[in-house]
Amino acid sequence: MVRRYGINTQGREFSRATHPTLTLLELRNFWLMELQEWQKLSEEQKNRYSQELAAHLPQSVIFKGLRFYPDGGPELSIAIFEYGGALFSLMPGGEVQIGYEAYNFRPTDEQIESFQDTAQVYEIDRDIYSYVQSVTTPPRKVTFSPMLVEIKPTKIGLEAISSESLKIQNLLKEFPDRQRMICNDRYGFDRAEDGSIEAWQITSKTHEELATELATEGLRLLTFDEWEYACGAGSTTLFRWGDLNPSDCYPTDKAADWKLHLQPNLFGLHIAQNPYDGEVISDKHTVRGGDGGCSICGGLGSFFGWLPLATAYWEPDALEWLDEDISGNLMRRIIPLP
């Protein structure tokens, strides 16, 4: 039985195949199939190959089953693995079209109006098509290796600490009614509904230190192109959910009815959901998936406020801003396959 949004076989965790029947070469040939080929496989075939793959990975990587993910369109069942308490999604390899062809864009009247209002104020001497083309990567075909991609990004340098520590106790006394409090972007607490406290701090970390730490576990960050493929999951539209964005809210408006950007994409990834939260990638000083909130903070209107969540969004002035200390930013780990 397959349950939508849940792990198949009624949530049963798959046992590891201690004696794999496929060689690594056979597995590599399988995982290099394109996304469209993966979609055509039966659930039984996907389960079988996922279990075989797990048998060739370290014991700490566990195959959990298949999950179905919607993204405002067709569903895709994806193999889910667990490592160190975090969930990873299998991203199929093969040749993939990434980037964006802006002249295929069919904006709504609301998108055009929002763009023109901002363009007039900031003296942007372009139409919406040429502007979008200037801030998105060009269409291109790239061949990717398959990999396991962390489903939810985590903050770099985030460490749990005791809620009994003096600095946390002082915060709790000063802000007794706050659900969350952050001090100097370095430490803080979250208060659950039952009153329990989770305290944390963020320690400084450079890009080199992070890369070294990940490498010791056999992990790494996504490259520039890999991130784009992971975000779009094969989609060639402006946003991973299509070309449209709401005209009456920003992505950060929690009370808004529009929730497509908060849903996982077809690979099951929570990605490009908040322009304030760019993700650190393998390219030093570069983030993807957000402009640090510049467009929203600057009050540039709905179209410009949503544009940094576009899959192929790339404006160096907005995305190449990382300092030596990259702590507090988001990262998404990947497990390369053998």
Side-chain angles (χ1 to χ4, degrees):
M1 173 180 179
V2 176
R3 287 185 190 170
R4 181 172 293 191
Y5 315 130
I7 297 177
N8 65 351
T9 62
Q10 299 164 343
R12 176 172 59 84
E13 181 177 310
F14 285 87
S15 60
R16 176 176 295 273
T18 55
H19 300 289
T21 59
L22 295 179
T23 66
L24 273 176
L25 179 59
E26 289 172 317
L27 272 176
R28 289 192 186 105
N29 289 337
F30 173 76
W31 293 120
L32 280 174
M33 70 170 58
E34 295 185 358
L35 178 59
Q36 292 78 6
E37 296 177 88
W38 165 263
Q39 290 175 285
K40 294 176 183 178
L41 294 179
S42 67
E43 303 301 290
E44 182 179 354
Q45 288 174 311
K46 291 177 182 178
N47 276 321
R48 179 199 170 199
Y49 282 106
S50 297
Q51 292 179 72
E52 290 281 352
L53 173 62
H56 287 283
L57 294 173
Q59 288 286 331
S60 53
V61 181
I62 303 168
F63 174 49
K64 302 293 289 185
L66 300 176
R67 287 184 180 175
F68 281 82
Y69 288 99
D71 192 26
E75 290 182 331
L76 176 65
S77 61
I78 285 294
I80 303 297
F81 295 77
E82 182 180 343
Y83 170 74
L87 295 179
F88 288 72
S89 173
L90 171 67
M91 191 167 76
E95 186 178 74
V96 180
Q97 174 85 24
I98 59 174
Y100 188 63
E101 179 48 77
Y103 289 97
N104 290 334
F105 184 32
R106 297 294 179 266
T108 63
D109 291 343
E110 290 80 6
Q111 286 174 312
I112 294 174
E113 182 180 0
S114 176
F115 172 82
Q116 290 177 340
D117 288 347
T118 303
Q120 183 175 5
V121 171
Y122 290 90
E123 299 181 348
I124 299 174
D125 189 21
R126 291 177 175 175
D127 60 23
I128 191 171
Y129 305 99
S130 60
Y131 182 79
V132 168
Q133 184 179 46
S134 72
V135 296
T136 52
T137 63
R140 60 207 185 277
K141 289 187 176 181
V142 180
T143 299
F144 295 99
S145 297
M147 63 192 72
L148 302 184
V149 183
E150 194 167 17
I151 287 178
K152 292 184 177 181
T154 55
K155 276 199 173 183
I156 299 170
L158 186 68
E159 298 177 352
I161 60 174
S162 172
S163 60
E164 299 300 320
S165 65
L166 180 60
K167 59 186 178 184
I168 296 299
Q169 285 297 310
N170 288 339
L171 277 183
L172 290 170
K173 290 177 183 178
E174 187 175 355
F175 304 98
D177 300 322
R178 291 283 186 92
Q179 296 299 110
R180 161 173 267 218
M181 187 61 203
I182 305 172
C183 185
N184 299 325
D185 290 329
R186 285 295 162 186
Y187 63 92
F189 67 82
D190 290 289
R191 191 193 309 268
E193 292 183 2
D194 62 3
S196 60
I197 301 296
E198 288 188 3
W200 45 266
Q201 66 182 8
I202 294 177
T203 58
S204 297
K205 201 173 296 291
T206 66
H207 196 283
E208 290 83 359
E209 290 171 339
L210 176 62
T212 299
E213 288 180 8
L214 293 178
T216 60
E217 296 185 65
L219 310 174
R220 64 173 177 84
L221 299 171
L222 291 162
T223 67
F224 186 94
D225 285 349
E226 286 171 350
W227 186 94
E228 201 165 304
Y229 172 39
C231 181
S235 170
T236 57
T237 52
L238 182 59
F239 304 101
R240 62 180 183 276
W241 58 82
D243 282 332
L244 304 182
N245 67 271
S247 59
D248 59 349
C249 66
Y250 283 132
T252 51
D253 294 341
K254 295 182 178 180
D257 293 332
W258 181 279
K259 303 294 184 184
L260 278 181
H261 64 302
L262 299 179
Q263 293 182 10
N265 69 4
L266 283 178
F267 288 154
L269 307 180
H270 294 259
I271 191 167
Q273 296 180 331
N274 187 332
Y276 283 87
D277 295 331
E279 290 186 25
V280 173
I281 60 173
S282 63
D283 297 22
K284 190 177 180 181
H285 303 305
T286 301
V287 298
R288 303 228 43 195
D291 65 348
C294 294
S295 297
I296 293 178
C297 187
L300 299 187
S302 61
F303 183 71
F304 280 85
W306 282 89
L307 193 56
L309 299 189
T311 301
Y313 181 74
W314 174 244
E315 188 174 14
D317 288 344
L319 301 181
E320 289 185 330
W321 50 264
L322 283 181
D323 297 323
E324 283 299 312
D325 182 5
I326 62 172
S327 59
N329 293 291
L330 296 182
M331 69 168 178
R332 188 182 302 271
R333 302 172 298 171
I334 72 163
I335 303 174
L337 299 185

